[in-house]
Amino acid sequence: MPATRSSSAGAVWAILRKECRSEWRTRYGLNSALLFAVTTLTSISFVVGKIADRTDILAALLWIVLVFAALASLAHTFVREVEGHTMTMLRLVASPTAIALGKLLWNLVFLAAIELVTVPLFLILMGAPPPRWAAFLALLALGSLALAASSTLVGALIAQSRGRGALFAAVSLPLLLPVLAGAVSGTRAQWAGGAVAAPAQLLASYALAILAVSLVLYDHLWEE
């Protein structure tokens, strides 16, 4: 049993390293996501200016930009395996669950890289008030986990279907509505000095529920 766990952890780590190397070679996904985020934020700041007194709008704009900046690129984690005909090879060296968990970790790394650039830029360009950093970062982490878990599950489900790009957006957006609702509510509350426990619990519970469903489904995906 310990050897099996060690082997599974090694497979997950190998998938994560493969994803990092693939992205480093092309940087297509990261560059396109950052370009979208920077362009969108710059355009919004020119149109509406600094709106420090409208924390409800700021919270909604922040999460909309983060979600849509990441969404298109997160779809490609499984799609490029299918299009590059490398999925069969991956399945020979790792279980579907290990493959999916490695890609989930990559999606978290990817989101962290986007947020590292986007969030400070958002706070500066939109003139947002200083956040309560502990609550703000906790909400950011929980929202990112829920976003990554949902996107990984949907990407695995639709990877081998036709019209994957359109299908990914159509399936992902309904799943992400609770994430957006909880993240926007919590971010607005932390700026307003309110309690963020309820939105944080919603995000954590939703992320755990998606992960639990995912772990049940992954071993049954891509069966011939």
PDB file of all heavy atoms in Angstrom, residues 3 54 173 176:
ATOM      1  N   ALA A   3       3.830   1.574  -1.173  1.00  0.00           N
ATOM      2  CA  ALA A   3       4.458   1.639  -2.486  1.00  0.00           C
ATOM      3  C   ALA A   3       3.493   2.151  -3.532  1.00  0.00           C
ATOM      4  O   ALA A   3       3.860   2.917  -4.427  1.00  0.00           O
ATOM      5  CB  ALA A   3       4.981   0.253  -2.876  1.00  0.00           C
ATOM      6  N   ARG A  54     -17.147  52.015  -4.849  1.00  0.00           N
ATOM      7  CA  ARG A  54     -18.107  51.004  -5.326  1.00  0.00           C
ATOM      8  C   ARG A  54     -17.478  49.617  -5.199  1.00  0.00           C
ATOM      9  O   ARG A  54     -17.113  48.990  -6.187  1.00  0.00           O
ATOM     10  CB  ARG A  54     -18.519  51.291  -6.767  1.00  0.00           C
ATOM     11  CG  ARG A  54     -19.272  52.587  -6.959  1.00  0.00           C
ATOM     12  CD  ARG A  54     -20.560  52.610  -6.123  1.00  0.00           C
ATOM     13  NE  ARG A  54     -21.401  51.454  -6.353  1.00  0.00           N
ATOM     14  CZ  ARG A  54     -22.328  51.400  -7.324  1.00  0.00           C
ATOM     15  NH1 ARG A  54     -22.503  52.431  -8.131  1.00  0.00           N
ATOM     16  NH2 ARG A  54     -23.068  50.318  -7.467  1.00  0.00           N
ATOM     17  N   LEU A 173     -19.597  27.277 -17.388  1.00  0.00           N
ATOM     18  CA  LEU A 173     -20.197  28.481 -16.815  1.00  0.00           C
ATOM     19  C   LEU A 173     -21.282  28.178 -15.777  1.00  0.00           C
ATOM     20  O   LEU A 173     -21.288  28.795 -14.708  1.00  0.00           O
ATOM     21  CB  LEU A 173     -20.731  29.376 -17.931  1.00  0.00           C
ATOM     22  CG  LEU A 173     -19.648  30.128 -18.713  1.00  0.00           C
ATOM     23  CD1 LEU A 173     -20.256  30.923 -19.863  1.00  0.00           C
ATOM     24  CD2 LEU A 173     -18.851  31.055 -17.803  1.00  0.00           C
ATOM     25  N   LEU A 176     -19.637  27.189 -12.626  1.00  0.00           N
ATOM     26  CA  LEU A 176     -18.864  28.247 -11.977  1.00  0.00           C
ATOM     27  C   LEU A 176     -19.728  29.337 -11.360  1.00  0.00           C
ATOM     28  O   LEU A 176     -19.197  30.218 -10.683  1.00  0.00           O
ATOM     29  CB  LEU A 176     -17.897  28.870 -12.989  1.00  0.00           C
ATOM     30  CG  LEU A 176     -16.768  27.954 -13.465  1.00  0.00           C
ATOM     31  CD1 LEU A 176     -15.926  28.641 -14.528  1.00  0.00           C
ATOM     32  CD2 LEU A 176     -15.889  27.523 -12.301  1.00  0.00           C
TER      33      LEU A 176
END
